[in-house]
Amino acid sequence: MTDASYQLGIRQPLYGLLVNAMTMEQVLEEAAQHAADRSRFLIGVVNAAKIVKLRKDALLRESLLVPDVVLADGQAVVWASRLLGHPLPERVAGIDLFERLLALADDERRSVYFLGARQEVLEAMVERVRSRYPKLVIAGYRDGYFPSDESAAVAAAIEATGADMLFLGMTTPKKEIFLAEHGESLGVPIQHGVGGSFDILAGITKRAPERWQRMGLEWAYRLLQEPRRLFARYASTNAAFIALTVRERFRPTAPYRLTGASAEQED
């Protein structure tokens, strides 16, 4: 058993979830092992916004109980974990993990499938991936704009490619729900929902400088780029996350359980 496999057992109780206390290198080691033996490694990530949203969104909440690992995508979650006495070692940002997994696929000549974004964004990203990682195999790709009643057909098409890795560039909770519903049947070892990362790799969206990332201010950088669209959302979400963290310090949320999406967690 690898050190990374052992680390899978170390899960910190945070906001009703169990978040894996893993570093980036441990996640990559585990992913490489699962790719080699073709066993499922479904990756879930949480940030402040998702933690706030899942309290009212039963589908999102239950989808985060299915992954094999749940990682802290947001620096605020790492800071809060230390304040709450359940420390996580570091932030494992979804976009960084995405790029490291692509590099792993390139090194090992593995195949990948991309699902999500608009067609023009997807095609631009695929071209950049081909140029940057010439040894990986692109098993297929399609945009993320399909109705929910077509998701089973989309899953079947992905399964037919025999891909080693699947990356979903779709919004929350659509990507989490798709993986929760179809992850077992896809036959793809590595499954990772990467949100807006397709836009970043395609060159459509500019990521915050590294200094802003280390300070946990990527949200502020995005706010500066789109203040009218994002101000109200970030103001309400950040305030709600701070209030929730204060509450967690004195009255932790009981662990969520898989009970069906219609069941609501007691507040």
Side-chain angles (χ1 to χ4, degrees):
M1 179 180 293
T2 67
D3 289 342
S5 296
Y6 174 76
Q7 288 295 327
L8 285 178
I10 302 175
R11 299 184 296 173
Q12 298 287 30
L14 293 165
Y15 307 97
L17 299 174
L18 291 175
V19 182
N20 292 76
M22 298 176 71
T23 65
M24 175 69 79
E25 295 307 318
Q26 289 166 344
V27 177
L28 290 169
E29 183 182 350
E30 190 70 23
Q33 182 60 49
H34 282 273
D37 61 25
R38 292 200 64 82
S39 58
R40 193 192 75 167
F41 189 51
L42 172 55
I43 301 167
V45 298
V46 291
N47 55 25
K50 199 177 290 187
I51 285 172
V52 170
K53 187 174 183 179
L54 67 83
R55 297 185 74 81
K56 300 298 182 183
D57 189 327
L59 287 173
L60 173 60
R61 183 168 63 242
E62 297 238 326
S63 73
L64 286 167
L65 302 178
V66 177
D68 299 296
V69 292
V70 176
L71 306 170
D73 180 38
Q75 186 61 44
V77 177
V78 176
W79 289 336
S81 75
R82 295 167 184 171
L83 176 66
L84 297 172
H86 302 290
L88 300 171
E90 66 182 31
R91 176 193 184 198
V92 182
I95 175 65
D96 294 332
L97 180 56
F98 179 24
E99 293 184 299
R100 294 291 299 273
L101 287 171
L102 288 174
L104 174 65
D106 189 58
D107 289 341
E108 299 186 350
R109 299 179 183 273
R110 298 198 178 278
S111 58
V112 302
Y113 192 103
F114 301 109
L115 176 64
R118 302 188 310 275
Q119 187 66 25
E120 61 270 24
V121 172
L122 186 59
E123 290 176 357
M125 185 201 68
V126 166
E127 286 307 307
R128 289 194 171 201
V129 168
R130 283 193 173 121
S131 175
R132 187 173 171 184
Y133 307 101
K135 292 180 291 184
L136 65 72
V137 177
I138 297 179
Y141 58 91
R142 69 149 294 159
D143 68 79
Y145 293 88
F146 54 89
S148 58
D149 60 3
E150 291 182 13
S151 62
V154 172
I158 294 170
E159 180 187 10
T161 69
D164 297 305
M165 300 183 184
L166 168 65
F167 301 103
L168 294 90
M170 300 190 296
T171 58
T172 296
K174 187 173 182 179
K175 64 179 182 294
E176 289 86 0
I177 293 170
F178 182 87
L179 289 175
E181 291 180 346
H182 303 291
E184 286 285 0
S185 65
L186 292 172
V188 180
I190 312 303
Q191 303 172 20
H192 181 26
V194 299
S197 298
F198 285 10
D199 286 4
I200 295 174
L201 260 64
I204 306 299
T205 302
K206 186 177 180 181
R207 194 180 181 192
E210 188 173 341
R211 182 178 179 184
W212 289 59
Q213 296 174 38
R214 290 197 304 269
M215 295 171 64
L217 293 174
E218 281 190 274
W219 65 271
Y221 188 81
R222 290 193 293 268
L223 178 60
L224 289 174
Q225 295 182 79
E226 300 182 84
R228 291 186 178 181
R229 186 174 74 86
L230 297 177
F231 178 79
R233 180 197 306 178
Y234 283 154
S236 62
T237 297
N238 290 353
F241 182 72
I242 291 170
L244 180 57
T245 301
V246 171
R247 170 181 163 168
E248 286 289 305
R249 183 70 177 83
F250 300 101
R251 187 154 62 96
T253 302
Y256 292 120
R257 305 294 182 193
L258 277 172
T259 57
S262 60
E264 295 294 325
Q265 169 78 13
E266 289 282 338
D267 210 14

